[in-house]
Amino acid sequence: MLLEEFDMDEYIKMERRDSYSDGHEDGLAEGNRLYQLHTIHTVRNMFQKNISAETCADLLDEDMAFINNVYSLCQMHADWSDEDFYNALKEK
């Protein structure tokens, strides 16, 4: 004797909700990562063109601390890729 009857339709709805939620969270995380990579790439280009950190922060409407971190990494690791910069900044 079962305390509750198994409802296959309800189970399928629950699985869809969970899958959607997981996919939505993964999509947001990936979108944020791509946005950060694009911003890092843009900041690196401004650094290479000798644009001041203050001007860069103003033009991109970004936090000055973030720009300074990218600029200091650019000075120390000119050969790094955008992904390397992203990983280094994520650890801070």
Side-chain angles (χ1 to χ4, degrees):
M1 182 177 347
L2 294 173
L3 294 176
E4 198 175 298
E5 235 178 83
F6 180 74
D7 185 356
M8 185 60 132
D9 291 336
E10 189 60 35
Y11 175 76
I12 290 171
K13 287 178 186 176
M14 182 184 68
E15 284 296 316
R16 284 184 181 157
R17 271 194 307 267
D18 291 346
S19 296
Y20 177 83
S21 178
D22 291 345
H24 184 71
E25 290 171 11
D26 292 347
L28 288 175
E30 180 62 14
N32 185 43
R33 187 182 83 76
L34 292 175
Y35 174 78
Q36 288 294 322
L37 283 170
H38 175 71
T39 304
I40 289 168
H41 181 78
T42 304
V43 172
R44 288 181 65 202
N45 283 341
M46 290 185 167
F47 174 80
Q48 291 170 351
K49 293 178 181 181
N50 295 321
I51 296 173
S52 71
E54 294 81 17
T55 303
C56 178
D58 186 45
L59 290 172
L60 297 178
D61 197 27
E62 285 289 337
D63 182 42
M64 191 65 199
F66 172 76
I67 301 297
N68 283 332
N69 285 338
V70 175
Y71 269 43
S72 66
L73 285 173
C74 285
Q75 291 171 341
M76 294 184 288
H77 307 285
D79 57 332
W80 278 11
S81 69
D82 293 339
E83 192 75 38
D84 293 330
F85 278 86
Y86 173 78
N87 292 330
L89 291 168
K90 191 170 68 170
E91 293 173 2
K92 285 187 176 187

